[in-house]
């Protein structure tokens, strides 16, 4: 079964719940290597998204994701606002007019989102950012798609790969974002943005399980 | 958490209401949307004048809202505490101050500020407003290399807003204003340190823990930890740790003149800043560098953090002239 | 003890050296004897002008040294931290600023300040200098009764130094200057509160302990405990606790105009002061009292204490005119 | 045996030592009901006095005490500077030209000192100040003089009475000085100035024991 607009709305709602639950955790991750606001920022953004959702609930998936993107741009601020905002805007362009997303559509959507983040943030894998969760997730989904693993499994493998990528940020030396100011002191800490990226992909896998 | 606030959610909007109520002749606070406001010069837009806007997270007061007024900023965009504002605010500010001569965005080099201002500039240009940007990056604690997001923008931002504001007031073109902004940024360097952490209201507890006998050297202005943690030291040693990298990076030579800016991080009283100033004066004197202008006080802060930063700006006649030009804002005022 | 100092013994003289080094055009620091210095206006004595001197313990910066300059004080006498200066300093300052028109001693009502200034005035008069004194006592937290040393002098002192300085600059007589000083003192009231204690450098530990969920209401400016200790409250409630006694004691009526002075105690950042300012504006508005002038910032402090005080000064045309008059000191500057 | 200039110098030296030893203690007493500087102030003052002593060591008792008084006025600051300064200046006037102090001279000296404090400070007994240590000390010495108790005993009884007076300040409500700002909160604390007064009188009794 493909992802429907209803699934999309459930996904976004789940993200909002999960990010709210992890508000302290994400903020705590952002304290030693950032400025201690990532959880606050994301929670603020998705609260606003939830307020906006009813206006687009009956539209196509692209329209829903576009609202998510513009709302995040307008409410999150910080580095993550433009980055996640761009990610959802690019995802919305990739899903424009669609009411059903099959495996290839999901891969295409994530690919577009990741490209958006990399372009906006001038970031590459290995710099201890959200890119380090999204990149392996995309690779895992592509592989699952080639293996015809089915949508649920594809999403789960993507989420699991994001989690592994997130954990793999711990030993990295940050070279982008605030954490890069710390130089060697950034080593040994998990990146908050990679963590929120995993939580969002996990929310998608859980929604479509 | 001991703060004079009503709630973490309302601290920014309450403070803006206070600014509006106490400085109605200088500025007006304008609502952009449910969550966001901007601070606009009372008489904006000024016809034919390049508009200057800046912005960044709140918690650095008086920067930037306290610098809105004649001879300095035309508008400021305050984000949530320590969080870059959103493009909607910057776009609204850009529109509010465009007097037909274009708008300069003064952006401190933090990923969040840069990305949000970038999006805003794209949107403003799409609406036909000419926008130029200057990204300040004066913090010598961070190496400007491929391996960092580049130097942070700190103390020089304040001096730049004043000096460039002086030029813009005279009706200079956007290109000219942007050139002077780049020059100020090139002529200045800063470095900061913290004795204590600070507490973001929404977080409710200190961003980092610092033992009683330690301090952080090379901090930014968002309660981030610094480059290294060292044992407490005398003011003379602390000043040396901050001033030497600045002087060397600027390549200050005997006979040169500087503006010396000794800045408090919010929780450090003036008496301590003057102790640091006295040590800084000794260091500069020993190198035969003259303090031709000075600024001492808490102007770019990190909430209630205890600590200080030093900024040195190499002066020439042009920079001195626009520094001395009249200014009338809540936090800086002279000549009028 | 986390402070940017070299040693508790040298903190005052180091800070004075910093003032001298950074504001040579405004003031000079003069050695009275081995332990004591005074801060004198660069061009003192000004012939024919009444000299204004003030003084008190250090630790309240910028008061008083930061108010030395054109349009405000002619000299300031800094004592050890929180300790009244000695008569030798006041006598030296009186001589240094006497331009033939006499000298006004601006004294905050604390036993130590009053007694030392009294001795100094006796000595100065014995040397043939005309001296008048004004003792400020604006703190409504203390009852002015037979059972206290009288109300303390706090925030009004800053406003008085500015306003009376404006009059003195124009060449008014000592009697006239002293009259205006009394008027300002009569027209103003203040009250303060603390979220934290402060640490006197020589003592090395906080003067009092304050639990995380409590604050002191009705404090002075020497790290003394206040009138009462209460649970933490919202800025709106805190502002009410301070503003109401002031308004009632002043007997402010609908239609009147005031100067609203929201002062930080040294460790409280500006964003919080503006939150208090916004609450104060609401309270005054509800009583139909107009904020015609304002001052927001840390001007009369208790080292790094977190907290604030509110001062309201009933304005008329005369007080407004001299408040607006040009001033150029390290801490207050406008009109020049 | 009367008090000689040498005894006087030894007394002043002893005060300096004792106040230095009690610097923290006096400062601590000054914290709950004052501004936490009394020990610092007194220590600073008597350090300066010790520096000046050599210049007057060979003079009459009045001259020695005069130097103590002027030095305290010039170095202590606060409330205690003018008060103790005045006390020693008045004591010096009462002992002017003298090289020997007998019982009556000591009583006369303390009476002059106390009058000086009361005049300068506009203070009366019962206001929780140094007057509350000095007043009973003077009364006890007067009584001892009438009883011909001898100098050593006179000084000891004066010191003991000062100590009792000092302790009796604990329940008092302060109506003078900084402590008066506290209203009811000043009750239950011992006055720092009364304590330093006792220490000075005890130093005299110990010197002449
Ligand atoms: N240039 C960049 N490219 C991609 N991701 C980035 C970049 N800079 C920062 N990030 C991500 O943003 C996260 C921080 O977000 P947040 O704390 O909300 O913003 P800020 O750093 O402005 O406070 C980091 O953990 C990192 O994953
Ligand atoms: N008016 C007064 N008369 C007599 N003694 C006083 C008076 N005011 C204060 N004192 C004494 O001075 C002591 C405080 O001295 P100190 O702490 O050195 O000065 P300050 O109060 O200026 O800090 C009090 O404990 C009290 O004994
Ligand atoms: Mg962050
Ligand atoms: Mg942030
Ligand atoms: Mg004192
Ligand atoms: Mg005291």
């Amino acid at each position: 079964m493909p992802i429907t607009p209803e699934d999309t709305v459930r996904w976004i709602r789940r993200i909002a719940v999960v990010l709210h639950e992890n508000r302290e955790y994400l903020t705590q991750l952002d304290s030693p290597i950032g400025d201690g606001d990532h959880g606050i920022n994301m929670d603020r953004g998705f609260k606003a998204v939830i307020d906006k959702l009813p206006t687009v609930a009956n539209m196509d998936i692209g329209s829903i994701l576009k609202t998510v993107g513009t709302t995040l741009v307008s409410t999150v601020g910080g580095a993550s606002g433009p980055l996640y905002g761009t990610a959802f805007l690019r995802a919305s362009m990739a899903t424009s007019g669609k009411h059903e997303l099959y495996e290839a559509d999901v891969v295409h959507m994530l690919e577009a989102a990741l490209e958006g983040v990399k372009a906006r943030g001038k970031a590459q894998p290995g710099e201890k950012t959200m890119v380090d969760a999204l990149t392996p997730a995309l690779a895992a989904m592509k592989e699952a798609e080639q293996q015809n693993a089915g949508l649920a499994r594809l999403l789960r493998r993507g989420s699991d790969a994001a989690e592994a990528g997130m954990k793999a940020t711990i030993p990295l030396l940050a070279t982008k974002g605030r954490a890069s100011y710390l130089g060697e002191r950034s080593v040994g800490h998990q990146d908050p943005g990679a963590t929120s990226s995993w939580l969002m992909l996990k929310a998608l896998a859980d929604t479509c399980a | 958490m001991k703060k004079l606030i009503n709630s973490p959610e309302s601290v920014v909007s309450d403070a803006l209401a206070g600014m509006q109520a106490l400085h109605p002749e200088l500025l007006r606070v304008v609502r952009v949307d449910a969550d966001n406001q901007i601070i606009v010069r009372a008489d904006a837009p000024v016809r034919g004048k390049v508009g200057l806007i800046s912005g960044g997270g709140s918690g650095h007061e008086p920067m930037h809202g306290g610098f809105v007024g004649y001879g300095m900023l035309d508008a400021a965009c305050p984000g949530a505490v320590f969080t870059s504002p959103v493009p909607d605010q910057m776009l609204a500010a850009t529109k509010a101050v465009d007097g037909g001569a274009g708008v300069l965005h003064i952006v401190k080099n933090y990923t969040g500020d840069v990305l949000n201002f970038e999006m805003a500039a794209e949107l403003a240009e799409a609406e036909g407003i000419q926008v130029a940007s200057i990204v300040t990056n004066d913090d010598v604690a961070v190496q400007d290399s491929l391996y960092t997001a580049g130097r942070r923008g700190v103390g020089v931002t304040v001096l730049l807003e004043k000096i460039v504001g002086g030029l813009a007031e005279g009706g200079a073109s956007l290109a000219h204003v942007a050139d002077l902004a780049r020059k100020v940024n090139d002529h200045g360097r800063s470095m900061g340190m913290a004795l204590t952490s600070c507490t973001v209201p929404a977080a409710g507890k200190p961003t980092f823990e610092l033992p009683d006998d330690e301090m952080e050297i090379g901090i930014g202005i968002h309660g981030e930890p610094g480059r290294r943690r060292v044992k407490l030291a005398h003011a003379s040693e602390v000043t040396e740790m901050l001033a030497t990298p600045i002087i060397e990076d600027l390549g200050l030579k005997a006979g040169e003149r500087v503006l010396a800016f000794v800045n408090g991080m919010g929780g450090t009283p003036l008496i301590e800043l003057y102790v640091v100033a006295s040590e800084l004066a000794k260091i500069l004197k020993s190198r035969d560098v003259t303090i031709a202008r000075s600024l001492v006080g808490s102007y770019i802060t990190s909430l209630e953090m205890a600590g200080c930063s030093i900024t040195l700006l190499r002066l020439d006649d042009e920079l001195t002239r626009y520094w001395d030009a009249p200014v009338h804002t809540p936090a800086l005022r002279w000549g009028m």
Side-chain angles (χ1 to χ4, degrees), chain A, chain B:
Chain A
M1 282 205 325
I3 296 176
T4 63
E6 293 69 42
D7 292 332
T8 308
V9 168
R10 285 196 296 128
W11 171 37
I12 301 302
R13 289 195 184 282
R14 188 165 198 124
I15 291 180
V17 169
V18 167
L19 290 180
H20 184 69
E21 284 168 2
N22 285 278
R23 182 186 149 106
E24 300 303 320
Y25 173 57
L26 291 171
T27 294
Q28 225 168 290
L29 289 175
D30 196 30
S31 292
I33 57 168
D35 58 350
D37 63 359
H38 187 58
I40 302 167
N41 295 345
M42 296 306 293
D43 188 33
R44 180 177 55 242
F46 273 90
K47 270 218 182 76
V49 166
I50 292 303
D51 288 346
K52 287 271 176 64
L53 269 189
T55 62
V56 289
N58 296 321
M59 299 193 184
D60 65 285
I61 294 174
S63 298
I64 297 172
L65 296 181
K66 185 173 175 194
T67 296
V68 175
T70 54
T71 307
L72 292 181
V73 168
S74 297
T75 57
V76 175
S80 49
L83 290 167
Y84 281 127
T86 302
F88 277 93
L89 286 173
R90 294 288 181 93
S92 87
M93 287 156 71
T95 56
S96 175
K98 299 211 165 148
H99 286 81
E100 299 186 330
L101 299 185
Y102 293 91
E103 287 81 344
D105 300 319
V106 173
V107 168
H108 183 46
M109 172 180 83
L110 184 61
E111 189 154 33
L114 175 55
E115 281 315 308
V117 170
K118 288 165 77 173
R120 182 58 70 196
K122 299 184 186 63
Q124 292 303 319
E127 301 197 289
K128 200 178 184 109
T129 70
M130 51 181 71
V131 169
D132 294 315
L134 298 174
T135 304
L138 177 64
M141 287 190 191
K142 272 188 177 160
E143 194 182 281
E145 191 213 345
Q146 275 155 12
Q147 296 170 354
N148 290 317
L151 185 58
R153 237 167 324 198
L154 179 148
L155 294 176
R156 182 64 57 199
R157 288 205 208 151
S159 161
D160 289 349
E163 183 178 16
M166 163 194 94
K167 286 190 180 146
T169 62
I170 297 178
L172 292 180
L173 183 101
T175 57
K176 278 287 180 309
R178 257 173 226 297
S180 73
Y181 301 140
L182 287 166
E184 292 292 338
R185 281 177 86 178
S186 67
V187 170
H189 299 279
Q190 181 174 313
D191 180 60
T195 309
S196 55
S197 287
W198 166 60
L199 290 172
M200 288 192 232
L201 291 177
K202 181 167 184 301
L204 181 57
D206 290 348
T207 305
C208 303
Chain B
M1 177 174 56
K2 288 194 144 180
K3 288 181 189 290
L4 289 166
I5 62 175
N6 290 315
S7 73
E9 293 72 35
S10 69
V11 57
V12 173
S13 61
D14 286 349
L16 292 178
M19 292 197 74
Q20 172 72 81
L22 271 74
H23 310 292
E25 75 290 4
L26 296 178
L27 53 86
R28 57 179 194 268
V29 173
V30 179
R31 177 166 296 278
V32 173
D33 56 43
D35 294 316
N36 291 304
Q37 294 170 281
I38 56 175
I39 304 165
V40 181
R41 194 169 136 173
D43 56 353
V46 182
R47 274 238 56 81
K49 175 186 170 306
V50 170
L52 301 189
I53 78 169
S54 190
S58 292
H60 309 301
E61 290 68 24
M63 187 184 79
H64 297 276
F67 302 137
V68 171
Y70 182 92
M72 215 161 163
L73 294 180
D74 293 86
C77 310
V81 171
F82 292 170
T83 298
S84 163
V86 296
D88 309 49
Q89 288 168 281
M90 296 148 181
L91 179 62
T94 304
K95 288 183 189 173
V97 308
D98 180 33
V103 177
L104 180 70
H105 287 184
I106 301 172
V107 186
K108 300 185 299 304
N109 190 34
Y110 298 95
T111 305
D113 295 60
V114 170
L115 298 184
N116 284 284
F117 264 107
E118 244 172 52
M119 295 189 94
E122 290 164 15
L123 295 167
E125 277 158 1
E127 299 201 22
I129 303 177
Q130 222 190 326
V131 172
S133 296
I134 169 77
V135 178
T136 60
N137 61 345
D138 53 307
D139 186 351
V140 297
V142 178
Q143 275 172 25
D144 189 6
S145 79
L146 280 179
Y147 304 105
T148 67
R151 284 180 166 169
R152 294 176 289 222
V154 285
V156 158
T157 317
V158 175
L159 309 182
L160 186 152
E161 290 174 2
K162 166 66 192 81
I163 291 170
V164 173
L167 173 65
E169 211 60 62
S173 69
L174 180 57
H176 188 176
V177 169
D179 278 347
L180 185 66
R182 269 184 294 276
K183 176 174 165 183
V184 176
N185 187 52
D186 287 348
H187 277 52
R189 299 288 190 282
S190 304
M191 189 158 160
M193 59 78 59
L195 289 171
T196 65
S197 181
C198 57
T199 298
V200 174
K205 57 182 195 343
T207 306
F208 57 87
E209 292 297 334
L210 200 48
D212 277 351
D213 60 342
E214 290 182 4
M215 60 185 174
E216 288 273 345
I217 302 290
I219 54 150
I221 52 169
H222 299 89
E224 321 91 315
R227 293 291 292 188
R228 59 186 208 276
R229 187 170 281 199
V230 301
K231 289 286 164 200
L232 285 185
H234 288 173
S236 58
E237 299 161 88
V238 172
T239 308
E240 187 75 50
M241 286 183 233
L242 302 183
T244 305
I246 293 172
I247 293 170
E248 288 177 356
D249 202 278
L250 259 183
L252 275 181
K253 303 254 171 341
E256 290 201 281
R257 297 155 56 85
V258 295
L259 187 164
F261 173 22
V262 179
N263 175 63
M265 299 309 296
T268 282
L270 202 50
I271 188 169
E272 297 180 34
L273 297 183
Y274 274 112
V275 171
V276 171
S278 117
E279 298 300 332
L280 178 61
K282 279 187 224 164
I283 293 170
L284 290 173
K285 189 166 191 177
S286 77
R287 292 173 179 257
D288 195 22
V289 171
T290 303
I291 300 179
R293 295 292 183 278
S294 66
L295 185 65
V296 185
S298 296
Y299 291 100
I300 164 170
T301 61
S302 288
L303 294 170
E304 77 283 16
M305 177 182 274
C308 74
S309 67
I310 290 174
T311 298
L312 295 179
L313 179 72
R314 169 184 276 128
L315 285 178
D316 61 11
D317 288 349
E318 184 184 28
L319 299 192
T320 309
R321 177 163 70 252
Y322 293 118
W323 174 257
D324 288 345
V327 61
H328 189 179
T329 69
L332 276 191
R333 180 174 178 188
W334 55 75
M336 58 193 296

